[in-house]
Amino acid sequence: MTLLSVRDLTVSYPVRGPLAGWWTGQKRFVDVVCGISLDLAEGTTLAIAGESGSGKSTFARALMGLTPFRSGSLIFDGKAPFPARGRPARAYLHQVSMMFQDPVASLSPRRTIGALITEPFRIHRPDLRNLEAEAKRLLVLVGLPADFAQRYPHQISGGQARRVGLARAVALNPRLVIADEPTAGLDVSVQGEILNLMARLQAEQSVAFLMITHNLAVVRHMSDRTAIMYMGRIVEEGPTDRVFASPAHPYAAALIAAEPSSLPGHHRHSAALKGEVSSPLHRPDGCAFHPRCPAARPLCSATAPLPQVSASGALVSCHFPLQRTPDQ
Ligand code: SF4
């Protein structure tokens, strides 16, 4: 069953400085997230992957109401939680939570770990009396000793801070957790521990994860579906095994080809990405990837491609996908 449906969501920021266009009397906006549509099924994981600056984190923040979106719609569990695109309904924030990219910075240094992980109860369940017991339950749930409740954020490691972030995110038994780079900055063994913990919580509590990451090994390991994002747009979306086995969008193919192989001494770099991502202020016409695309043709710089179904069943936005579509 579909838990979250996003349609044509666009996030824009006003342009400041010399490019603002103030002399025209009109504010100029730059689109950081451009018309994203996707669905997430209950109890599953959807990963959004792409290079830095692709708009992944902005999209995640928009879903939480932390960044306003300019247009588009969002349906969660059959209801629209953003009335007139304002602040999200309280009931929505009870069921949707976020693991932030920088777990230490997201924890107030003056509060104990116990106070931090029970904060969601203070906001959404003020009737709950025994917060100490809840803090202990949550710490044990994420594999930390119960006496961590007395510590302060500066007294714990990066991996422990991630666990605390996860404990806080699942405190209210949410149906959806938005995890922004859940393993960034951790060494490989701690990454594995955090991912296993997330997988266990998903199996036990049927929580859905929308995971934002640039780490394709994490995407492969964790997600049921994968969306590849480039300059604010999703360029390919489909079942993870199919997207990785036969990517149809040249950007998705290059990103996957550039992923370090898990085989010792073996590096895959046949279609390594060349060039830099363009600034959103100077978005290329047509397909935004065309200045870097080895398969670009004249049509690509003139007309933006529309999504179509690839031979593997993924949705791909490319005039010349690497595989033929079923009707070609
Ligand atoms: Fe490359 Fe053209 Fe496809 Fe864009 S539309 S990814 S430029 S082939």
Side-chain angles (χ1 to χ4, degrees):
M1 191 187 125
T2 302
L3 181 65
L4 175 75
S5 269
V6 179
R7 292 291 174 269
D8 284 327
L9 192 131
T10 295
V11 179
S12 310
Y13 292 140
V15 178
R16 302 190 196 285
L19 294 173
W22 51 266
W23 58 89
T24 64
Q26 285 189 332
K27 256 191 177 175
R28 208 181 141 204
F29 288 87
V30 58
D31 292 345
V32 183
V33 171
C34 318
I36 285 194
S37 298
L38 51 79
D39 293 318
L40 172 61
E42 210 158 8
T44 65
T45 298
L46 166 68
I48 300 185
E51 292 168 286
S52 299
S54 59
K56 308 184 297 292
S57 292
T58 304
F59 176 62
R61 291 179 63 80
L63 295 184
M64 289 300 294
L66 299 172
T67 296
F69 49 94
R70 198 174 180 200
S71 59
S73 64
L74 187 153
I75 301 291
F76 179 82
D77 195 24
K79 299 185 189 76
F82 286 83
R85 296 199 294 276
R87 287 185 59 76
R90 209 177 164 83
Y92 173 74
L93 293 178
H94 196 146
Q95 296 185 75
V96 181
S97 61
M98 186 157 182
M99 287 173 71
F100 289 94
Q101 189 173 139
D102 185 341
V104 178
S106 68
L107 302 175
S108 166
R110 292 197 188 86
R111 307 188 70 188
T112 62
I113 300 300
L116 288 164
I117 60 176
T118 52
E119 198 169 24
F121 295 116
R122 288 194 190 84
I123 298 167
H124 295 280
R125 293 284 313 276
D127 57 307
L128 211 64
R129 293 284 164 246
N130 197 348
L131 293 182
E132 208 175 307
E134 285 297 337
K136 285 185 180 156
R137 175 184 72 79
L138 288 167
L139 286 168
V140 172
L141 185 70
V142 298
L144 290 172
D147 63 6
F148 262 53
Q150 314 307 324
R151 296 196 185 187
Y152 286 87
H154 71 272
Q155 296 174 310
I156 62 176
S157 68
Q160 289 162 345
R162 289 276 172 198
R163 287 175 188 263
V164 169
L166 184 54
R168 195 154 78 148
V170 299
L172 296 168
N173 288 331
R175 296 174 70 191
L176 168 63
V177 172
I178 298 169
D180 192 1
E181 299 285 3
T183 59
L186 301 178
D187 68 41
V188 176
S189 65
V190 183
Q191 283 184 24
E193 289 170 18
I194 297 295
L195 296 177
N196 288 340
L197 183 54
M198 289 169 68
R200 179 167 66 78
L201 289 173
Q202 184 166 63
E204 289 173 1
Q205 302 184 5
S206 199
V207 58
F209 284 104
L210 194 147
M211 193 163 53
I212 307 292
T213 182
H214 66 276
N215 186 333
L216 293 187
V218 170
V219 175
R220 268 180 202 266
H221 181 68
M222 285 292 287
S223 65
D224 302 287
R225 296 184 73 88
T226 296
I228 305 284
M229 200 161 164
Y230 187 78
M231 287 200 73
R233 291 186 199 280
I234 289 178
V235 295
E236 181 158 358
E237 194 274 338
T240 295
D241 50 353
R242 296 194 202 168
V243 169
F244 276 82
S246 50
H249 194 282
Y251 175 66
L255 207 61
I256 290 166
E259 180 198 5
S261 169
S262 54
L263 299 173
H266 182 257
H267 301 282
R268 290 186 289 158
H269 48 73
S270 53
L273 274 169
K274 296 192 174 66
E276 300 290 323
V277 182
S278 307
S279 158
L281 280 169
H282 304 289
R283 175 180 293 281
D285 289 338
C287 170
F289 186 56
H290 83 258
R292 304 172 75 190
C293 181
R297 300 186 213 173
L299 174 65
C300 304
S301 53
T303 309
L306 296 173
Q308 56 181 314
V309 180
S310 75
S312 72
L315 261 188
V316 58
S317 294
C318 174
H319 292 303
F320 308 105
L322 298 176
Q323 297 168 328
R324 296 171 72 80
T325 53
D327 55 351
Q328 278 182 309

